[in-house]
Amino acid sequence: MLAAAQDGADSPDASSHLTQRDEIPQTGHLTITHFERAMEAMSAKLIRTWQSTADQIKNEVRELSNRTASVENDCQDLKTAQTGISENLLTLQQRMEAMEGKLADYEDRARRNNLRLRGVPESVQPDDLQLYVRGLMHAYAPDIPSDMLLVDRVHRVPKQKHLPDSAPRDVVLRAHYYHIKELVLRAHRSRQEPHEDYPSVLIMADLSAATLRRRRDFQQVTTELRDRGIRYRWGFPTKLILTKNGETKLFSRPEDAMNELARWSPRSKQSAPPASSAHGRKSTRTDRMD
């Protein structure tokens, strides 16, 4: 057996060993090839998957781009429409303000013969108001004949919200003659002290609520004018009328009046005394409506 082994004869162990040595390269080669093919198949599959995903993403991006462009177009259309609506709204607002001004002017003209009396005691009964107001008018304008002191109607009106609970209701009267009403109103304004027979009564022009509201918008301007001692008067529809150096200017907006006042010398005093309400009191919203 030893000789046979030395002569290269086959033996079970040797044959098995050679078989394993011969199979290892062959088996390893097949495994690598299979792995390479599997990797190639997997890579191809991944490439196809990525390509499909990329195409899907491209389509979605393209769709989003189209939708975004549509939204931008809609926004532009909305912006254009909003601009038109804003312009129309401004036009309508200006027209409404003009109509309100005309309506207020019409109402004020309908009240031009009226006087508003504040402070008439509640003890004066409705049947006695006619006699009471004629006596008040005669007290402030004694030179007017009694037959000219005609009052078409007189009555009390509901109390305004800003007045205290203890204050009596205002009395509104309509004088038959406009010039008589103006004489009484000017006589009341020119007095520095209240009339001794009517110490608690204020006489004011009877104006519409819209006009009073517009005049309150000028409160800062009129306060500055009174502090500077500059006289002013009101026009209709609501306008502030100022006269300086013989030049008369009309202002429909408070900001225009303030800008003009700022161009004047600051805190300059004119020869005219400060405008004040009757009875020597500083004018306020509650006692000055003219």
Side-chain angles (χ1 to χ4, degrees):
M1 180 181 279
L2 178 60
Q6 291 177 348
D7 292 337
D10 292 337
S11 65
D13 294 339
S15 177
S16 175
H17 179 68
L18 290 174
T19 301
Q20 292 177 359
R21 292 183 60 186
D22 292 338
E23 289 177 356
I24 289 173
Q26 184 177 4
T27 304
H29 178 72
L30 293 174
T31 302
I32 292 173
T33 302
H34 178 73
F35 178 75
E36 289 177 349
R37 290 177 179 176
M39 288 296 296
E40 290 176 358
M42 184 179 298
S43 298
K45 184 178 181 180
L46 288 175
I47 291 174
R48 288 194 301 272
T49 302
W50 292 341
Q51 186 65 39
S52 176
T53 303
D55 293 340
Q56 183 178 359
I57 292 175
K58 289 180 180 179
N59 293 333
E60 291 180 356
V61 170
R62 188 180 300 109
E63 183 180 356
L64 288 176
S65 299
N66 295 334
R67 292 171 61 184
T68 302
S70 177
V71 170
E72 290 178 349
N73 293 333
D74 292 343
C75 290
Q76 184 63 36
D77 294 341
L78 288 175
K79 183 178 180 180
T80 303
Q82 183 183 12
T83 302
I85 292 174
S86 299
E87 293 175 353
N88 292 336
L89 179 62
L90 180 60
T91 301
L92 290 175
Q93 185 176 5
Q94 292 173 346
R95 290 181 179 178
M96 184 181 68
E97 291 177 354
M99 292 178 64
E100 287 180 348
K102 291 182 178 180
L103 182 61
D105 183 53
Y106 176 80
E107 185 176 354
D108 289 329
R109 291 180 184 278
R111 299 179 181 216
R112 66 195 307 264
N113 281 35
N114 289 7
L115 286 175
R116 179 180 287 260
L117 309 180
R118 179 162 297 169
V120 177
E122 289 284 353
S123 58
V124 180
Q125 299 300 315
D127 294 340
D128 299 331
L129 283 175
Q130 179 85 222
L131 184 62
Y132 183 91
V133 298
R134 290 188 64 180
L136 182 143
M137 294 170 66
H138 179 72
Y140 279 98
D143 296 334
I144 300 177
S146 299
D147 58 349
M148 297 290 290
L149 298 176
L150 299 179
V151 177
D152 294 340
R153 54 184 177 270
V154 56
H155 59 88
R156 290 189 184 271
V157 294
K159 187 184 301 183
Q160 298 182 5
K161 295 181 179 180
H162 66 273
L163 295 177
D165 295 338
S166 58
R169 292 171 295 167
D170 291 353
V171 173
V172 174
L173 67 91
R174 176 178 174 82
H176 187 74
Y177 298 107
Y178 173 77
H179 70 283
I180 300 298
K181 167 253 180 181
E182 285 293 306
L183 287 174
V184 173
L185 188 59
R186 283 198 295 267
H188 177 78
R189 290 174 180 172
S190 63
R191 293 180 65 93
Q192 297 299 319
E193 297 294 335
H195 196 280
E196 56 274 10
D197 295 335
Y198 304 92
S200 63
V201 179
L202 296 175
I203 304 178
M204 300 170 288
D206 183 36
L207 302 174
S208 64
T211 297
L212 293 177
R213 213 165 33 243
R214 290 290 307 276
R215 290 190 179 186
R216 282 196 292 270
D217 293 340
F218 285 87
Q219 185 173 6
Q220 182 180 0
V221 182
T222 55
T223 300
E224 182 71 15
L225 291 172
R226 289 194 295 270
D227 291 344
R228 295 192 185 192
I230 302 174
R231 286 192 177 276
Y232 62 90
R233 57 192 178 93
W234 295 104
F236 294 91
T238 305
K239 294 181 180 65
L240 187 66
I241 304 175
L242 302 178
T243 302
K244 181 185 179 184
N245 299 330
E247 181 182 2
T248 300
K249 294 186 177 182
L250 287 75
F251 301 97
S252 300
R253 302 192 308 169
E255 51 270 27
D256 294 339
M258 285 299 296
N259 292 337
E260 180 65 22
L261 195 58
R263 288 194 287 267
W264 297 0
S265 56
R267 312 300 296 178
S268 63
K269 292 287 184 177
Q270 294 187 358
S271 58
S276 60
S277 64
H279 304 174
R281 295 202 305 268
K282 185 178 180 179
S283 300
T284 62
R285 182 170 66 90
T286 59
D287 63 8
R288 184 185 181 91
M289 299 195 297
D290 52 348

